[in-house]
Amino acid sequence: MVPSAAGLGQSVGVTEGFQLRGVRVEGVARPRLDGIDLDLPLDGITVVAGASGSGKSTLLRLLNRLDVADAGTITWRGTPLEETDVLLHRREVGMVFQRPTVAPGSVIDNLRLAAMDLDEESATDLCLLVDLEPSFLDRDASELSGGEKQRVCLARTIATGPAVILADEPTSSLDPAATEVIENLALRLAHPESPMPVGWVWVSHDPGQLRRLADRVVVLGEGRVLAEGNALDLVSHGDADVRRAVGAER
Amino acid sequence: MNEPLADIGLVGLAISGILIGVALVLSLVRRLGLEKDLFIAAVRALVQLLVVGLALRIVVDDDDPLVFTWIWVAFMAVVAAWTVRRRAPEVPNVIPLSLVAFTAAAIVSLGVLFGLGVFEPTGRAIVPIAGMMVGNSMTATVVVARRIVAEANDHRDLIEARLALGLSSQDAFAPHLRAALRTGLIPQIETTKTVGLIALPGAMTGLILAGVEPVEAVRVQVAVMYLVLGSVSTTAAVMAIGLTRGLFTSDHRLLPLGSLSSPQ
């Protein structure tokens, strides 16, 4: 049985996700994140946009605890991150990276990295969930196409039963067809009536993708939050960088 | 014991120097430009070993206290640790880790050989055996240390992907640790497998030249081979585990490798 942790928080009536207050991460020339105040809810798809070097990936790495902030606080469902069990936290807050990275071995070997006792039936369900034929389970993961690998990575992350998936430009190295498959999958899983609803924090520099996916948008610039809200509202924002991020201006 | 064959005297030593001439001629004829290096290497080996020989007279004299012997062994370990650092400069904290690894190997292997009475615990036995232990372990230590750092650098994405799935740092790095240890240990295992088939090993050759019966020399050599295998395994394991711990934080984050290098 594929675990479904997405309901963990909702079942006890907790709906808040991440809260960041005054979060700062030092960088070489300037801070990578500079005083971030942000609430990221559990449901739907939050797209984090902004130019290269604006701190999008750094933000995601903080949320998965792959990095730590130099100042400020981050809470997850009301608990400061440093007080959570890091290994459990990472299973609850999954992460998919920009470059699809599969481990040596078959597809099912990769899925079992996330869930050691995963049986064939659950592995088949996971494959179908990410639009892969079950015959892929025995295939060498390293020989798959980029899009197929990324779907394996997604299935592997879903196997941990996350409440939220942090996706760091997961389609930037994929062709349009593979991108469409991944986007549709995200929309399906984010839907409240999905059998296992998962929230997304999705980093993207593609305004088209932002408009297709975003329930809400956060725009970063030079390590700061430039704007947050509905994509349609941000089209007429006063800051040209924000308008550019949502595709209202070239 | 038979009549020693290896007392070659100063004249014999000088005559053997003719053989350096073969290498010098090759370098001159083929224009390799190695004459100066060859000459320096030959003279340096002679001077170094003469100094070592004189010092060893104090250390291996049965009437002298063993403290000189252990000082000698400690000195060898320190020199070996510096050599590891020179050969693997990119490895963080390599000197203290090497010293811990050599100490652990000394406790295990010398403990077995001398503690259980395989050899008499005299300076004459401890110094050459510790020398073989440290010398052979050094190569494996360098290989394992460099490979671990390369694995952490080259497979950062994969290691972080495993961490992001909730694996502990130990589990996330386990395949890479295995690869590094295999790389360090396989050459020694292969050498042990083929010993005697291609060339007679050093200790056995020395003993036979010194007039010891070949079968007796074989017994000593086999004990030495086992010593080398044991100490290589110990140093490689200690270096690998120590270094791996330094790659991660206690909350299972992989540190950027640049931040690991400490001034040495």
Side-chain angles (χ1 to χ4, degrees), chain B residues 72-81 83-84 87 98 101-103 105-106 109-110 126-143 184 187-188 191 224-225 227-233 235-236:
Chain B
W72 184 278
V73 172
F75 177 71
M76 281 195 294
V78 170
V79 172
T83 310
V84 172
R87 292 192 197 165
S98 300
F102 292 139
T103 306
S109 45
L110 301 185
I126 291 171
V127 167
I129 284 176
M132 277 185 276
M133 181 207 83
V134 172
N136 285 283
S137 302
M138 201 169 61
T139 310
T141 306
V142 170
V143 170
Q188 194 57 51
T191 305
V224 167
M225 295 295 296
L227 159 92
V228 168
L229 256 186
S231 53
V232 164
S233 306
T235 43

Side-chain angles (χ1 to χ4, degrees), chain A residues 30-33 50-58 169 220-224:
Chain A
R30 59 168 175 77
R32 287 190 282 156
L33 291 178
S52 293
S54 58
K56 306 185 296 290
S57 297
T58 303
E169 301 194 43
L220 297 183
E222 297 194 337
R224 294 167 181 269

Side-chain angles (χ1 to χ4, degrees), chain A residues 61 64-68 86-87 90-91 93-95 97 99 101-104 110 113-114 153 156-157 160, chain B residues 154-169 171 175-176 249-254 256:
Chain A
R61 290 176 62 83
N64 190 259
R65 295 192 62 185
L66 285 175
D67 281 335
V68 289
V86 63
L87 302 184
R90 286 182 183 151
R91 294 180 73 78
V93 179
M95 184 149 175
F97 297 85
R99 209 163 61 107
T101 309
V102 291
N110 269 271
L113 270 181
C153 291
R156 200 171 60 181
T157 301
T160 66
Chain B
D154 299 347
H155 301 287
R156 190 172 188 91
D157 288 355
L158 181 53
I159 296 162
E160 289 203 322
R162 290 197 189 99
L163 290 173
L165 291 170
L167 271 71
S168 67
S169 51
D171 290 340
H176 308 282
T249 60
S250 58
D251 60 348
H252 306 275
R253 284 181 291 116
L254 177 59

Side-chain angles (χ1 to χ4, degrees), chain A residues 173-195:
Chain A
S173 61
L174 307 185
D175 60 40
T179 298
E180 191 181 346
V181 171
I182 303 271
E183 285 181 3
N184 287 338
L185 173 66
L187 288 167
R188 226 167 53 230
L189 288 176
H191 198 279
E193 288 173 18
S194 157

Side-chain angles (χ1 to χ4, degrees), chain A residues 43-83:
Chain A
D43 58 332
I45 301 178
T46 302
V47 172
V48 181
S52 293
S54 58
K56 306 185 296 290
S57 297
T58 303
L59 174 69
L60 251 54
R61 290 176 62 83
L62 288 183
L63 302 182
N64 190 259
R65 295 192 62 185
L66 285 175
D67 281 335
V68 289
D70 293 305
T73 57
I74 304 176
T75 59
W76 163 245
R77 289 174 160 168
T79 307
L81 275 194
E82 61 276 14
E83 290 176 21

Side-chain angles (χ1 to χ4, degrees), chain A:
Chain A
M1 179 70 190
V2 178
S4 173
L8 279 178
Q10 287 142 2
S11 64
V12 291
V14 181
T15 53
E16 81 268 34
F18 287 101
Q19 283 193 329
L20 295 88
R21 294 292 176 267
V23 171
R24 184 178 171 92
V25 175
E26 300 297 345
V28 180
R30 59 168 175 77
R32 287 190 282 156
L33 291 178
D34 187 6
I36 298 283
D37 293 322
L38 198 58
D39 290 345
L40 294 168
L42 268 178
D43 58 332
I45 301 178
T46 302
V47 172
V48 181
S52 293
S54 58
K56 306 185 296 290
S57 297
T58 303
L59 174 69
L60 251 54
R61 290 176 62 83
L62 288 183
L63 302 182
N64 190 259
R65 295 192 62 185
L66 285 175
D67 281 335
V68 289
D70 293 305
T73 57
I74 304 176
T75 59
W76 163 245
R77 289 174 160 168
T79 307
L81 275 194
E82 61 276 14
E83 290 176 21
T84 62
D85 179 317
V86 63
L87 302 184
L88 289 177
H89 175 77
R90 286 182 183 151
R91 294 180 73 78
E92 218 180 341
V93 179
M95 184 149 175
V96 179
F97 297 85
Q98 187 170 359
R99 209 163 61 107
T101 309
V102 291
S106 64
V107 170
I108 196 164
D109 290 338
N110 269 271
L111 299 181
R112 283 180 177 151
L113 270 181
M116 208 188 296
D117 302 327
L118 192 75
D119 57 33
E120 289 267 349
E121 194 187 336
S122 303
T124 302
D125 289 347
L126 279 169
C127 266
L128 293 172
L129 190 69
V130 296
D131 286 340
L132 283 177
E133 288 295 319
S135 60
F136 272 72
L137 282 175
D138 294 324
R139 286 181 60 179
D140 184 339
S142 65
E143 291 177 0
L144 303 181
S145 70
E148 289 163 348
K149 279 183 187 167
Q150 194 61 298
R151 277 184 275 166
V152 171
C153 291
L154 257 174
R156 200 171 60 181
T157 301
I158 292 167
T160 66
V164 172
I165 294 177
L166 311 168
D168 189 1
E169 301 194 43
T171 60
S172 64
S173 61
L174 307 185
D175 60 40
T179 298
E180 191 181 346
V181 171
I182 303 271
E183 285 181 3
N184 287 338
L185 173 66
L187 288 167
R188 226 167 53 230
L189 288 176
H191 198 279
E193 288 173 18
S194 157
M196 43 181 307
V198 178
W200 295 77
V201 181
W202 183 297
V203 165
S204 178
H205 63 266
D206 173 5
Q209 185 170 65
L210 179 148
R211 286 197 298 270
R212 289 191 295 275
L213 295 181
D215 293 308
R216 67 191 73 82
V217 177
V218 174
V219 182
L220 297 183
E222 297 194 337
R224 294 167 181 269
V225 177
L226 298 182
E228 54 180 312
N230 183 296
L232 282 177
D233 296 340
L234 297 182
V235 167
S236 53
H237 195 275
D239 187 331
D241 287 340
V242 175
R243 293 198 301 277
R244 201 171 296 121
V246 296
E249 194 167 300
R250 280 177 175 265

Side-chain angles (χ1 to χ4, degrees), chain B residues 2-263:
Chain B
N2 299 330
E3 188 66 23
L5 307 173
D7 186 7
I8 64 171
L10 286 176
V11 175
L13 176 64
I15 292 171
S16 69
I18 293 171
L19 296 170
I20 300 296
V22 177
L24 284 172
V25 169
L26 172 71
S27 178
L28 283 168
V29 171
R30 304 308 301 181
R31 296 180 189 167
L32 304 180
L34 294 173
E35 303 85 16
K36 191 180 163 195
D37 282 338
L38 272 167
F39 181 74
I40 289 173
V43 173
R44 206 175 136 170
L46 176 66
V47 173
Q48 276 174 197
L49 287 176
L50 279 176
V51 171
V52 168
L54 288 171
L56 274 175
R57 283 176 68 178
I58 304 168
V59 175
V60 303
D61 192 326
D62 292 342
D63 294 333
D64 285 335
L66 276 180
V67 65
F68 291 120
T69 301
W70 292 118
I71 289 172
W72 184 278
V73 172
F75 177 71
M76 281 195 294
V78 170
V79 172
W82 276 101
T83 310
V84 172
R85 194 221 163 178
R86 195 164 42 81
R87 292 192 197 165
E90 75 279 26
V91 177
N93 301 319
V94 72
I95 289 182
L97 280 173
S98 300
L99 285 173
V100 171
F102 292 139
T103 306
I107 290 169
V108 171
S109 45
L110 301 185
V112 168
L113 290 185
F114 294 104
L116 301 180
V118 179
F119 293 105
E120 284 295 310
T122 60
R124 189 174 288 276
I126 291 171
V127 167
I129 284 176
M132 277 185 276
M133 181 207 83
V134 172
N136 285 283
S137 302
M138 201 169 61
T139 310
T141 306
V142 170
V143 170
V144 168
R146 296 197 72 169
R147 182 68 194 266
I148 282 183
V149 170
E151 288 281 331
N153 264 331
D154 299 347
H155 301 287
R156 190 172 188 91
D157 288 355
L158 181 53
I159 296 162
E160 289 203 322
R162 290 197 189 99
L163 290 173
L165 291 170
L167 271 71
S168 67
S169 51
Q170 208 178 353
D171 290 340
F173 198 68
H176 308 282
L177 183 70
R178 260 197 306 276
L181 280 173
R182 285 177 64 84
T183 309
L185 294 181
I186 282 174
Q188 194 57 51
I189 294 169
E190 291 304 317
T191 305
T192 308
K193 275 186 199 166
T194 56
V195 68
L197 298 179
I198 298 162
L200 294 182
M204 188 171 146
T205 308
L207 286 168
I208 291 172
L209 282 172
V212 173
E213 282 295 324
V215 173
E216 201 178 321
V218 163
R219 282 204 298 271
V220 173
Q221 181 61 52
V222 170
V224 167
M225 295 295 296
Y226 293 167
L227 159 92
V228 168
L229 256 186
S231 53
V232 164
S233 306
T234 309
T235 43
V238 171
M239 172 56 81
I241 292 165
L243 193 51
T244 302
R245 279 173 178 237
L247 295 175
F248 295 91
T249 60
S250 58
D251 60 348
H252 306 275
R253 284 181 291 116
L254 177 59
L255 289 166
L257 216 56
S259 72
L260 295 171
S261 302
S262 56

